[in-house]
Amino acid sequence: MLLAHAALTQLITFVLRPATTYRALELGVPASWLGVLSGSFALVPLVLALPAGHLVDRLGERRVMLVGSLLMCAAGTLLLTLGDTVTGLVAGSVVLGTAHLGAIVGQQALVANSTASGRMDAAFGYYTFAASLGQAAGPLLIVAFGGTRAIPDTTPIFQGSIAIAVVLFALTFAVDSTRTEHGPTTAENIGVRQLLRLPGLAGALLTACTVLAAVDISLVYLPALGAERGIASSLIGTLLVLRAASSMASRFFLGRLSEAIGRRRLLILSIFGAAVGITVAAAPVPVWLLLVAVAVAGFGLGVGQPLTMSWLAESAPPGARGRAMSLRLTGNRAGQVIIPGAIGLVAAGLGSAGVLWVTAGGLALTGVLARNLPVNRPSTS
């Protein structure tokens, strides 16, 4: 039930966000401002991430997941009814980001609290595999409704997302929390400062937020790149599916890859691979090379998040893992707010391709910095 919940959460998110981009393009929003729309997804969750983690530790995972699922329904409704204005799109993106936060912080804490220490890499690999499955399925709705049009009709996409969100809300009742109405534990006194003292945490948080920002930017600017070059929305949807499918492959075998290569080396190789893939994808290349580049980028981008999740889960004591996951999410949300907008401004005169090239450069720099992360022995799976 947890894996199904994770898949549906990402399905809704990864169809609504590209659909919001297409609706913005219909309204004539400049490509350089799409980064602001992307950042609005993470604005409110940036403030709420740590409180959400504390609520998970105190009240249990399912209650927070229920709130997130209900807000998913509200986000789709807002985009459907108020999405004919930029203000409505921003409001829908903010609610969607808050909903996504509530759902995933509960999910990640549940994985951490129900998995033995030696299997964290594999467990988070399977969890993020399910999330990638939803990310791959989401753009299929764009393929189905978009056809050969460069900018598809977004109204039926919003309607379908609302129906799926109702299913997600109902599914939450089938998920069991590992924590119920227990009294306070000693771990509840552990604060953010103590968590931040964990060795290598700052570098791991920087890596996680940069990789996630790259995923977000590709999600926003690949459709924009397609619109600029007259590429059919069905091909762009296929590229988004391929990116997610490649991430699924890397996450499904994450436990084995980590054992064979080592966490730090695997992380560095994946980041550089993603940088190369995004660089090639942004260039005017043949379709077959575009498909290969997006597949390589997706495989590399799929590694960073589960590795940082398992590292934090093993480092944090039981009873504080909700806060540990939410601390990582806070860093991710900060990156989602700051990085896309900053890159959009820097590359404003270069178009969507320039934004993707700057993103690839940021990934390459992150890969260089990741060489200073402490060597962690991979988990036994």
Side-chain angles (χ1 to χ4, degrees):
M1 291 299 101
L2 171 64
L3 295 181
H5 198 279
L8 286 182
T9 298
Q10 299 300 333
L11 185 154
I12 297 167
T13 303
F14 273 68
V15 71
L16 283 180
R17 298 197 69 195
T20 302
T21 298
Y22 280 124
R23 177 62 67 87
L25 292 174
E26 284 180 335
L27 298 176
V29 175
S32 61
W33 283 94
L34 292 179
V36 177
L37 182 60
S38 176
S40 66
F41 172 80
L43 186 59
V44 173
L46 176 61
V47 179
L48 296 180
L50 287 175
H54 189 69
L55 286 175
V56 167
D57 289 332
R58 290 187 62 87
L59 303 178
E61 300 90 352
R62 185 171 67 177
R63 292 183 179 180
V64 178
M65 291 165 63
L66 277 170
V67 175
S69 302
L70 185 60
L71 287 176
M72 282 280 181
C73 301
T77 303
L78 276 174
L79 290 171
L80 178 64
T81 57
L82 302 178
D84 55 348
T85 66
V86 175
T87 302
L89 291 178
V90 172
S93 295
V94 168
V95 175
L96 180 62
T98 306
H100 186 256
L101 168 69
I104 65 172
V105 72
Q107 294 164 4
Q108 293 173 14
L110 187 55
V111 173
N113 289 327
S114 59
T115 304
S117 177
R119 292 187 54 83
M120 287 291 183
D121 281 357
F124 277 106
Y126 291 136
Y127 165 73
T128 51
F129 172 83
S132 292
L133 182 63
Q135 293 171 9
L140 287 176
L141 293 181
I142 298 177
V143 176
F145 291 110
T148 59
R149 296 173 54 184
I151 300 179
D153 182 7
T154 53
T155 297
I157 299 176
F158 291 149
Q159 293 171 338
S161 299
I162 295 171
I164 298 171
V166 172
V167 175
L168 176 69
F169 179 73
L171 184 64
T172 313
F173 291 95
V175 177
D176 292 327
S177 290
T178 60
R179 175 77 184 276
T180 54
E181 298 292 341
H182 297 163
T185 63
T186 55
E188 290 183 3
N189 297 322
I190 296 178
V192 174
R193 290 183 181 180
Q194 291 167 288
L195 291 174
L196 286 173
R197 292 183 186 137
L198 296 173
L201 180 67
L205 292 178
L206 175 63
T207 301
C209 77
T210 304
V211 171
L212 184 59
V215 173
D216 281 354
I217 289 169
S218 66
L219 190 64
V220 170
Y221 280 96
L222 275 177
L225 183 68
E228 289 177 3
R229 296 180 177 174
I231 300 174
S233 61
S234 57
L235 177 56
I236 295 299
T238 301
L239 290 174
L240 295 176
V241 172
L242 181 61
R243 185 210 62 77
S246 298
S247 294
M248 288 168 59
S250 66
R251 289 168 173 179
F252 187 80
F253 297 104
L254 183 65
R256 297 176 185 177
L257 289 172
S258 180
E259 287 181 359
I261 302 176
R263 280 182 180 169
R264 186 175 68 177
R265 184 177 300 173
L266 176 60
L267 186 63
I268 294 171
L269 289 175
S270 67
I271 291 173
F272 279 114
V276 171
I278 291 176
T279 299
V280 175
V285 296
V287 172
W288 69 267
L289 184 54
L290 181 62
L291 293 170
V292 172
V294 169
V296 171
F299 193 92
L301 292 173
V303 170
Q305 298 303 315
L307 281 187
T308 55
M309 288 179 197
S310 61
W311 186 85
L312 281 175
E314 288 183 343
S315 302
R321 285 170 175 164
R323 272 158 290 170
M325 295 297 107
S326 65
L327 182 61
R328 191 190 67 86
L329 288 171
T330 299
N332 286 353
R333 290 297 192 254
Q336 286 178 296
V337 170
I338 298 170
I339 295 176
I343 288 179
L345 291 175
V346 169
L350 302 178
S352 299
V355 172
L356 292 171
W357 282 325
V358 174
T359 301
L363 279 173
L365 178 60
T366 301
V368 173
L369 296 176
R371 297 172 62 187
N372 297 322
L373 288 173
V375 178
N376 286 339
R377 182 176 58 86
S379 304
T380 301
S381 59

